[in-house]
Amino acid sequence: MANKIKIHHDQDVMVITVDNPPINAGSVEVRQGLLDAINILRGDDQLKSAVIIGAGNTFIAGSDIKEFSLPLAEPQLPAVITAIENCGKPIVCALHGAALGGGFELALGCDARIAIEGAVVGLPEVTLGIIPGAGGTQRLPRLIGIEKSIELICAGTRIRADEALRLGIVSEVVQENLLGHAITFARKMSGGKQRIREIASPRSNADGVLLASQKALKAGKNRPQVQKAIEMICNSSSLPIDEALAIERATFQDLRVSTEAKALRHQFFSERKLYKALSANAVQAQPVNQVAVIGAGTMGSGIAIACLSAGYAVVLLDQNEVALANGVKKVKEFYNSRIRTGKISEGKAEILLSRFSESSEWAFIADADLIIEAVFEDINVKHEVFKKIEAHARADALLASNTSYLDIDAIAAKTSNPSRVFGLHFFSPAQVMKLIEIVRCKTTSAVAIATALSFAKRIGKTPVISANAFGFIGNRIYSAYRRQCEFMLEEGAYPKQIDNALEEYGFTMGPFAVADMSGLDIAWAMRKSYAATRNPQDRYVTIPDTLCSLGRFGQKVGAGYYQYPDGSKAGVDDPFVHQIIDEASAASGISRGAFASDEIVNRVLLAMINEVAHLVNEKITSEATDCDIALVNGYGFPRWRGGPVFIAGEMGQEKLNNELRILADASGHGFVIADTDALFHSL
Ligand code: NAD
């Protein structure tokens, strides 16, 4: 027997312990070991029933996802579940920690489930581009119905033990001594099997199923695994179970080898690598209890909310009383709307807000452990603000800047203790977006970085570490992307065509809709400030400048790349903008041509990959795949496409290099082809 499974006997009950640390993943050895144990159970007349439990602090918290990239080794999970069902003796699953994916399907194949309080169960397969492939879509609906199954499986929701009891998924929830209770339960069941497959097919209510399906498809962005999951769940009411199980397995196998599932596994492993690297940081973080946020504008108020929601005490400071009042209003309105929509209780909101204070007096930051500056994007204003912070903050407080583009080394250099200065680059809206870039300056101490990481974790963000460089990681890639889109405008495309092509590919929004939403004036001011240092030979598209010079700053003024009649939020094509674009093409001597959607997408992806390769070569990022994580979590890049690094890997280096040469020709002067060796070595 494989040593991932341990067995012992408690009189007439066999106890089967899955021991495959750290999460007792259902690998091939675990599956073989379970089969062997069930064979022993069948053949031993002294044994009347069995309990399956996990060693350590969890049940089987998922499958070994690495196996999904290879041909699946025998025995596969359905064979183990069939053996459990065919065994004449009852088998009870004792659930603690998490029973997820294949672990939960195994539990559904057993005769009963007992959980300890706090345990969670769920089928998160759709988040990896697949569906449950070992009966999850057939057995769960027999317990909880079609509609609820669609809701839970299509969102990959985790259900807590008390909810699982209410839904009838588990028979008992115990406070302690899980194994003892499970053994007693198994002993009481001796001689009686309770196979879920024998429960009558669930009835379905056509309207309810339609509604649940529509909701799930919308939330699941209509991805194929969500469509298939719904189809499979519905089969549970219309097909004999064995036929439906065979279809489920075949569908699971097809999805498992799809590029989309591979891309989602790439995201999963990239994040795992990132967290492993971050947790390897042995330096102790400094304790943070109070955060001071300087600047109560768009970002400052969002950052304050992110910190308050994580339980920090927050002081919000702005020099401008009106701006401060607006920022405070935004924070309070946020919690009021959470109360109205039932996302938070009034009592909880009150507790969080009791830790909130505001001021325009600098003395108020005296107790803060971490100070985050989010004032205007102007280096001189930042220098002034850091001077004031230093004059009022504790000597050991850590100081972060939320700047998007400015040189944080330069900001740190003007302080008396640059080792405590770093970047914390949030994304808008700061209380929503998952990404945070932690910018390590040349002088930042290891303790400051460790503290930034632990802070990011507590506020629920996904942190990537960037060296100090113009635009850090995310905005560097985004700038290259947007520049490429502007080139295409000049060469023959119009904003709507580019936005549509990229949105159809899966981006949350196209670049011109994003520009209109966030305002064209910010980038304009930045272009003006860097105009003197720009190489005059580089290709420069004047269209955004022309729009700005006409006051077309985007949605907030009703016009930008699109027009927004009567305050609408959806942009409408504007013939006048087409005229501006046509004139820009003519002025640059470019004869406009037609663009196909895939050509637009391809140029964007190549531009992104090229910029990632530059970031790797310049050591702005220490891990290429962090760029994929950044784009998905901060820039609306579709997770199921994996990210530029994944796409480069799929393309192969030779093809990529050839295509980059073609892109460089199309892009003209200023486009620098990156050496892709380091990028491919990292794959
Ligand atoms: P904003 O204009 O909305 O807010 C800035 C606030 O800072 C204003 O309320 C202003 O009164 C206050 N302020 C200015 N000078 C001050 C001083 N000396 N002392 C105290 N308060 C002062 O700007 P924002 O969009 O929130 O951007 C703030 C920072 O965050 C900038 O560095 C920006 O680049 C960065 N950022 C912005 C975004 C975004 O999408 N808006 C995203 C990421 C980062």
Side-chain angles (χ1 to χ4, degrees), residues 294-300 317-320 323 362 374-377 381-382 385 402-404 425-426 428:
I294 314 296
T298 310
M299 294 308 289
L317 185 143
D318 202 296
Q319 63 174 14
N320 179 318
W362 287 89
V375 302
F376 300 140
E377 184 77 342
V381 177
K382 305 271 188 200
V385 164
N402 182 47
T403 178
S404 308
H425 186 213
F426 287 79
S428 183

Side-chain angles (χ1 to χ4, degrees), residues 201 207 349 365 558:
S201 299
D207 288 347
I365 68 168

Side-chain angles (χ1 to χ4, degrees), residues 395-414:
D396 63 342
L398 297 176
L399 317 183
S401 172
N402 182 47
T403 178
S404 308
Y405 290 97
L406 297 174
D407 180 351
I408 309 181
D409 278 329
I411 295 174
K414 286 212 171 177

Side-chain angles (χ1 to χ4, degrees), residues 83-165:
I84 292 173
E85 287 186 329
N86 289 346
C87 168
K89 301 171 185 177
I91 301 176
V92 173
C93 261
L95 308 175
H96 62 148
L100 300 175
F104 185 35
E105 289 183 294
L106 179 82
L108 291 170
C110 289
D111 298 278
R113 289 145 296 281
I114 306 289
I116 195 156
E117 204 172 64
V120 293
V121 299
L123 295 169
E125 282 83 351
V126 290
T127 61
L128 287 173
I130 54 176
I131 57 163
T137 65
Q138 303 308 306
R139 294 190 180 86
L140 191 62
R142 282 175 165 76
L143 288 181
I144 67 170
I146 304 261
E147 285 143 81
K148 192 72 189 168
S149 297
I150 290 176
E151 185 191 319
L152 298 181
I153 293 176
C154 293
T157 310
R158 292 168 183 226
I159 314 159
R160 299 192 75 81
D162 48 355
E163 171 79 346
L165 180 68

Side-chain angles (χ1 to χ4, degrees), residues 520-571:
L520 274 65
D521 43 336
I522 300 166
W524 191 36
M526 198 173 70
R527 285 195 300 278
K528 284 194 278 195
S529 70
Y530 289 100
T533 53
R534 189 180 308 126
N535 181 344
Q537 284 187 303
D538 287 353
R539 181 173 174 187
Y540 184 79
V541 178
T542 55
I543 298 160
D545 290 351
T546 308
L547 293 174
C548 288
S549 63
L550 294 166
R552 298 186 66 116
F553 294 146
Q555 228 179 75
K556 60 187 169 191
V557 293
Y561 283 99
Y562 301 106
Q563 48 181 317
Y564 299 84
D566 309 320
S568 95
K569 288 213 163 137

